[in-house]
Amino acid sequence: MPKSRKTQTPKPARKTPRKSAKPTSKQQATKAASSRSSRARSSAAPVRPSKKAAIVALLERPNGAAIGDLIEATGWQTHSVRAALTGLRKEGKELVRDKDAAGVTHYRLAAA
């Protein structure tokens, strides 16, 4: 049985020219204007608190926070929350660990 050959159709010409590796002066001016406008927007937009700041805020409470509380606040997995606590220790913050009557460990920042 002979093999069938597909007929090759020629590819259509490119509608837009390829981008050159070296930007033109017009492209540079447009890029500079867009970066200026993004800086202006970022200063006007409200700053969202970081997840690390949320962890620190929970740890500053009088009773501190359990791992479950930190997971709920950040949406992280257990090992990520524990790594964040280790990072706080390495930054020089003193963490105190206490167990409540139910056996749940609560972490809190020691008063400086």
Side-chain angles (χ1 to χ4, degrees), residues 23-87:
T24 63
S25 62
K26 184 178 179 182
Q27 289 173 340
Q28 289 172 344
T30 305
K31 187 175 184 179
S34 67
S35 67
R36 275 181 270 159
S37 65
S38 66
R39 275 188 246 138
R41 272 186 264 128
S42 64
S43 64
V47 178
R48 181 181 63 144
S50 67
K51 291 183 179 182
K52 182 178 174 182
I55 287 177
V56 170
L58 288 173
L59 293 174
E60 288 175 341
R61 297 187 306 188
N63 294 336
I67 294 287
D69 299 333
L70 300 173
I71 289 171
E72 187 178 322
T74 59
W76 292 344
Q77 294 182 3
T78 306
H79 65 274
S80 301
V81 170
R82 291 184 191 278
L85 294 175
T86 301

